[in-house]
Amino acid sequence: MPGAHTSLPSRARKVCIIGGGISGLRAAGLLNAVGFDVTILEARDRIGGRIHQSSRLGLPVDLGASWIHGTQGNPIVHFAGKAMSTTIACNLVHSICASNGVWLSAATAWHHYAKVWEILEMAVDKSEKEAHLLPDSAKMMEFFREELDKRCREANEPEIHRNLMMQIVEMWGAFMGSDCETQGIKICI
């Protein structure tokens, strides 16, 4: 992104970000670092979004964000340690239940999670390399479905496999904080 703003007219170098949660604050920092004049609009009387702590009952209690997604290289891990927050690793591979109500083995669950993340990483790579070619309306789930359908056809996978993969990616969408159908594929890098 460095240098990308140099050809923009000066009036186009002003950006308004809706929401002062972690994503809005990060986007503001990135845009400001490359020369944009950034304004953040926040509806609450505080910034932080879902990250919020209250001491109204005496001791501090986290009222919001309780998951740290991706611990390697994530600055939130550093801040959590500095704040002496208790963190517990979550082993999600034991959390997949088949449509018949039977829990999948850890090995099978891990296999499916790995395939989902592989496709999601492909989508991020596509966004990084082709953001300028992607329409603003392009959705992460459109990419995911196309890639999953292609893989299922090539491997002659049963429909139940496809459905399970779709359930896992929908759970991923919930972790990200919004309906996976609405999440765009374009990312700001």
Side-chain angles (χ1 to χ4, degrees):
M1 195 161 173
H5 68 282
T6 56
S7 64
L8 296 173
S10 61
R11 72 184 192 300
R13 294 184 62 200
K14 293 183 178 185
V15 175
C16 180
I17 295 177
I18 309 299
I22 195 86
S23 295
L25 295 173
R26 177 67 173 145
L30 290 170
L31 290 167
N32 187 262
V34 294
F36 285 83
D37 180 17
V38 180
T39 300
I40 300 174
L41 297 180
E42 174 54 56
R44 298 179 188 174
D45 61 354
R46 61 173 183 78
I47 61 170
R50 288 179 288 157
I51 299 175
H52 183 60
Q53 193 175 72
S54 173
S55 296
R56 288 176 37 188
L57 299 176
L59 295 173
V61 175
D62 287 328
L63 300 176
S66 58
W67 289 82
I68 301 174
H69 299 277
T71 56
Q72 294 182 4
N74 187 333
I76 300 298
V77 173
H78 169 74
F79 294 134
K82 201 170 177 181
M84 295 185 285
S85 296
T86 301
T87 58
I88 300 168
C90 179
N91 190 355
L92 293 177
V93 298
H94 296 291
S95 63
I96 300 180
C97 190
S99 59
N100 64 1
V102 176
W103 290 99
L104 300 181
S105 71
T108 301
W110 183 252
H111 170 78
H112 290 311
Y113 271 116
K115 294 295 180 190
V116 167
W117 282 109
E118 186 178 296
I119 296 172
L120 292 174
E121 287 174 2
M122 286 175 64
V124 170
D125 287 344
K126 180 179 182 74
S127 179
E128 288 176 348
K129 293 174 183 159
E130 302 175 22
H132 63 288
L133 301 173
L134 295 169
D136 291 340
S137 62
K139 301 294 183 211
M140 181 73 82
M141 285 302 292
E142 291 168 5
F143 179 90
F144 189 89
R145 273 193 199 89
E146 287 173 16
E147 182 62 25
L148 178 60
D149 289 345
K150 181 179 96 176
R151 289 175 179 215
C152 287
R153 275 191 311 275
E154 290 172 357
N156 202 23
E157 294 280 2
E159 184 69 17
I160 195 164
H161 170 78
R162 183 192 182 282
N163 293 343
L164 182 59
M165 298 286 281
M166 289 302 297
Q167 290 169 352
I168 294 169
V169 80
E170 287 169 9
M171 183 173 55
W172 165 83
F175 284 150
M176 297 299 119
S178 68
D179 177 9
C180 61
E181 295 293 341
T182 64
Q183 295 171 8
I185 192 171
K186 290 178 85 167
I187 60 172
C188 181
I189 56 172

